[in-house]
Amino acid sequence: MPDAILEARRVSFAYRGTPVLEDISLDVRPGELLGITGINGSGKTTLLKLLGGLLRPQCGEVALDGRGLHALGRNAIARRISLVPQDIPVESSFTVRDIVAMGRNPYLGRFGQETRIDRQAVEMAVSAADIAGLEDRLLRELSGGEQKRVFIARALAQETAIIMLDEPTANLDLAHQLTLIELLSSLCRKGRAVVLSMHDLSFAATHCDRVLVLANNGVGSCGTPGEVITPDNLARFFGVQAEVLHYGGCVSVVPLRQARRSAFDKPV
Amino acid sequence: MSSTTSEKAWQQTALWIVLLAATSLLSLFLGTVPIQPGRIAGIFADFSGLPHGTVFEPWEQAVIFELRLPRLVLGLVCGAALALCGAAMQAMFRNPLACPGITGVSSGAALGAVLAIFFNLSAYSPYFLPLLAFLGGLGACWAVYAISSRRGHVSVPMLLLSGVALNSINTSIIAFLLSLSFANYETGKQIIFWTLGGLDTQSWPQIKLMLPFAAVGCAIIVCSYRELDALSLGELHASSVGVDVRKVRRKLIFAAALATASTVALCGTIGFVGLIVPHIVRLIYGPHHRTLFPVCAAAGAVFLVLADIAARTLIAPEEIRLGVITAACGGPFFLLLLVSGDRRGLDA
């Protein structure tokens, strides 16, 4: 197993005194697709922000390549970690190309001009994210799914070892969900680490190498999808009675009814 | 494709240079006594030692160099600086209503300047008034930001409301100082002139004193074009492409306070330039700050010089205060902005 490139060591975070995450340890390894899931408000986005150095943990530390994240500058981090936020400025009048090209910002100096390498990276990202032909359109003219892919393209243009996506499959139609996951898997095969938060458990169980469930401010369960996405855990951490069906390499989580024991109760 | 874009850029540059030159010439030409453009050219040729065949009166030269030229330079500098501050604040706060006037930065700087006038500090050093104006502007900008931001996220209603509150605090203190100065006619008059704004109060030494500060503030803003592009998509987006949002914010707040305070120190509070100009320019030229900033600077300069021309010609020989003219244009524009619900300029 390759060494972790990004590591959270006993990280805790509270918003104005309300603890969100407590004592979380996690490593992100090159070449793996790591899915983070959990009920609404369980801290998925907060964990992504902590891992990306956008929030500073009150306790513990996040280390990138063995060095504390907060010793690094924003630019240095942005050359190693890219993030696709959940919220997209849908009314923006920037063109698609402008936004994808912003992914090259960490490589440009203050007045640096784009070089051929930058333009190539942008072109490759555009075609990989399947938005070729839209480059000169304004972001606000695109559909929700297209907009999402623009920001995924920006993260690709950033050419980082770690890519984080917050709810990337929301707003995407089924075909584009599959295209996205194929793209992310191919990045993993090339040795990148991909971390994504998601609600779609079937999707997580089918495609992720590792799944982490956040519950009760901590790691409820973490491991291979087979270990984590089980009827037991679904009842414990998601408060639903559900069946986990296997169908030709795909996993489908079928929620049946609310479980009597909800995630808000203390775990057994 | 690229050749047409650069051609367009040249056309736009040429257009703005012509507009700047035309308004400048008009501003030099117009006044209580018009001075012929030919004579103006002659005066400048004479000044730079070039041969010319024009005959002009010595008083004409004095009027140009001591009255109209400083006024023109002030108009150009202050218009450009205020428009740049407005453009930067609008991007930073992601709101078209953010500008030095509405967020209370101008009135904070004015309060500083009025304190300096009230205590007659300029008698000790010419730097006191600008320094207090800067501290007032910086304090107001920082306070508004601190009140309206939670964990680096700016709440726009909070921003605007805290601006309203700060403005009324500042103006009430200014009014209080004014009421204390009724006994002293000169001080009272100066304070009123300051709060109404105008380009006629300064001569060359003061302009030379403040010019570097305005220039530094503007330069910091202009150099941040790339960060502001990213910031206008939102803080999370900016950080994820390597922008240190906190640092950039601090830098821009400092720069906006510096540039605004220099204009206030020179010509009092002139509202709405930082609101109207960047807003319209953004609608026409799109969201790229690399283009926006130079155009905003040029448009702000042209707008303020034109407003000044209106101020001194509309009811000549009497003068209208410049702040009155810009407010008369800006108020209705502001309402239009609110009523029309045109949110295009609202977002990046």
Side-chain angles (χ1 to χ4, degrees), chain A residues 15-16 54 74 78 83 85 87 89 91-94 98 102 105-106 108-113 151 154 158, chain B residues 94 150-151 223-227 229-230 232-233 236-237 239-244 251 287-288 290 347-348:
Chain A
Y15 281 111
R16 306 173 142 248
L54 298 163
R74 237 357 295 162
L83 173 76
D87 291 325
E91 289 296 317
S92 175
S93 325
F94 279 109
D98 291 334
M102 281 183 196
N105 267 8
L108 303 174
R110 177 159 296 284
F111 303 106
Q113 293 295 311
F151 287 90
R154 184 184 70 188
Q158 227 168 311
Chain B
R94 297 183 72 208
R150 294 264 179 273
R151 295 199 161 278
C223 290
S224 311
Y225 68 92
R226 196 168 270 152
E227 284 109 319
D229 277 354
S232 58
L233 295 179
L236 206 51
H237 288 273
S239 321
S240 63
V241 295
V243 175
D244 189 333
K251 188 175 77 178
H288 301 93
R290 207 171 142 179
D347 305 280

Side-chain angles (χ1 to χ4, degrees), chain B residues 3-289:
Chain B
S3 75
T4 54
T5 0
S6 74
E7 241 171 63
K8 255 189 193 162
W10 278 113
Q11 282 170 6
Q12 289 300 324
T13 315
L15 171 75
W16 282 106
I17 289 175
V18 169
L19 278 174
L20 276 170
T23 40
S24 301
L25 199 63
L26 195 63
S27 157
L28 290 176
F29 166 69
L30 286 171
T32 326
V33 188
I35 298 174
Q36 302 297 321
R39 289 192 175 191
I40 297 175
I43 290 167
F44 278 105
D46 188 64
F47 176 74
S48 41
L50 294 170
H52 64 95
T54 1
V55 184
F56 52 83
E57 308 280 333
W59 65 263
E60 287 179 325
Q61 192 178 16
V63 165
I64 290 290
F65 279 125
E66 295 311 320
L67 293 176
R68 293 190 192 167
L69 195 58
R71 197 168 177 151
L72 170 65
V73 169
L74 265 185
L76 294 173
V77 170
C78 294
L82 286 170
L84 281 178
C85 287
M89 291 177 91
Q90 288 174 7
M92 186 166 76
F93 294 123
R94 297 183 72 208
N95 190 286
L97 303 182
C99 74
I102 286 170
T103 50
V105 181
S106 294
S107 69
L111 176 60
V114 166
L115 279 171
I117 297 170
F118 183 77
F119 293 108
N120 198 20
L121 295 177
S122 298
Y124 305 103
S125 157
Y127 283 102
F128 267 124
L129 191 150
L131 179 70
L132 283 188
F134 171 66
L135 290 179
L138 191 65
C141 205
W142 177 82
V144 164
Y145 175 66
I147 294 166
S148 60
S149 75
R150 294 264 179 273
R151 295 199 161 278
H153 181 83
V154 176
S155 143
V156 170
M158 284 293 280
L159 173 81
L160 300 177
L161 291 175
S162 53
V164 169
L166 223 69
N167 269 332
S168 65
I169 293 171
N170 290 335
T171 41
S172 73
I173 301 175
I174 292 173
F176 173 67
L177 293 175
L178 184 62
S179 56
L180 289 184
S181 335
F182 278 156
N184 188 339
Y185 177 74
E186 262 315 305
T187 312
K189 193 178 137 196
Q190 265 198 56
I191 292 177
I192 289 181
F193 266 56
W194 217 274
T195 49
L196 292 180
L199 301 179
D200 50 348
T201 40
Q202 304 296 334
S203 52
W204 287 117
Q206 282 102 327
I207 295 176
K208 281 182 191 153
L209 186 75
M210 292 316 296
L211 215 53
F213 295 102
V216 168
C218 291
I220 295 175
I221 289 173
V222 171
C223 290
S224 311
Y225 68 92
R226 196 168 270 152
E227 284 109 319
L228 279 169
D229 277 354
L231 256 179
S232 58
L233 295 179
E235 286 161 37
L236 206 51
H237 288 273
S239 321
S240 63
V241 295
V243 175
D244 189 333
V245 175
R246 274 166 186 245
K247 211 169 99 186
V248 171
R249 273 241 160 82
R250 272 203 300 268
K251 188 175 77 178
L252 286 172
I253 284 178
F254 172 83
L258 189 64
T260 307
S262 339
T263 69
V264 170
L266 282 170
C267 45
T269 44
I270 297 170
F272 293 104
V273 182
L275 175 77
I276 307 175
V277 173
H279 191 87
I280 295 177
V281 171
R282 205 180 283 273
L283 281 181
I284 298 172
Y285 285 83
H288 301 93
H289 289 90

Side-chain angles (χ1 to χ4, degrees), chain A residues 166-243:
Chain A
D166 198 1
E167 299 275 352
T169 48
N171 298 342
L172 287 190
D173 56 50
L174 286 176
H176 276 112
Q177 286 191 16
L178 287 175
T179 326
L180 172 68
I181 207 73
E182 272 165 28
L183 172 64
L184 296 179
S185 311
S186 78
L187 292 171
C188 288
R189 282 195 296 276
K190 287 176 198 153
R192 314 261 196 109
V194 177
V195 184
L196 53 164
S197 74
M198 49 171 38
H199 275 298
D200 188 338
L201 295 172
S202 306
F203 205 78
T206 307
H207 300 287
C208 291
D209 299 314
R210 210 149 53 102
V211 177
L212 181 143
V213 182
L214 289 174
N216 302 306
N217 303 337
V219 177
S221 174
C222 184
T224 63
E227 293 162 2
V228 174
I229 310 282
T230 60
D232 245 15
N233 278 347
L234 291 170
R236 243 174 97 188
F237 303 127
F238 291 89
V240 289
Q241 211 175 44
E243 283 208 51

